[in-house]
Amino acid sequence: QVQLVESGGGLVQAGGSLRLSCAVSGRTFSTYAMGWFRQAPGKEREFVAGIRWNGGSTYYADSGKGRFTISRDNAKNTVYLQMNSLKAEDTAVYYCAADPYAGIIRTRPEGYDYWGQGTQVTVSS
């Protein structure tokens, strides 16, 4: 069983920064592709950022490009999402996800096998 636990969410003012963490346990982490998604009330879950197993390739949705940075520390079995210049429209529950077999970064939720419980990010204007 692969378990993912997000942390680092909270309330922040517009223009501020927040760093989310996702700790992975139960299986080998270092070979997993990892992704961050978010979901606001009444909206579909959407891709935010993804990273290859070795950290050599990243991909960002237009919504966060230039403001968000995804990274990973395989020694700590943890993936991060650094969010800068936050906007009110970034408010959502943020989820991390793992794809054990991907050779590419997938942007659709159905491409990921394991999910965390989510962490709430609220940006006030």
Side-chain angles (χ1 to χ4, degrees):
Q1 179 67 39
V2 175
Q3 295 180 327
L4 286 69
V5 180
E6 302 96 334
S7 62
L11 176 64
V12 64
Q13 293 183 342
S17 298
L18 210 58
R19 189 180 77 158
L20 307 183
S21 299
C22 176
V24 183
S25 63
R27 298 289 184 182
T28 301
F29 167 76
S30 61
T31 61
Y32 294 1
M34 301 293 298
W36 283 98
F37 291 77
R38 67 186 184 186
Q39 188 167 23
K43 302 185 69 175
E44 294 184 346
R45 190 167 299 187
E46 65 174 348
F47 174 81
V48 177
I51 188 167
R52 292 279 301 277
W53 70 271
N54 63 357
S57 180
T58 59
Y59 186 75
Y60 299 91
D62 288 341
S63 60
K65 191 173 297 182
R67 300 185 298 122
F68 295 177
T69 302
I70 187 171
S71 62
R72 67 191 298 161
D73 186 340
N74 288 345
K76 296 181 178 179
N77 292 345
T78 302
V79 62
Y80 305 94
L81 183 68
Q82 178 68 45
M83 303 186 292
N84 299 326
S85 302
L86 284 163
K87 307 173 182 179
E89 51 262 44
D90 294 319
T91 296
V93 176
Y94 283 71
Y95 299 88
C96 65
D99 181 359
Y101 302 104
I104 60 173
I105 298 171
R106 304 183 187 276
T107 60
R108 297 179 178 179
E110 58 266 29
Y112 291 81
D113 294 323
Y114 305 105
W115 294 83
Q117 83 290 344
T119 185
Q120 177 71 49
V121 172
T122 303
V123 184
S124 63
S125 59

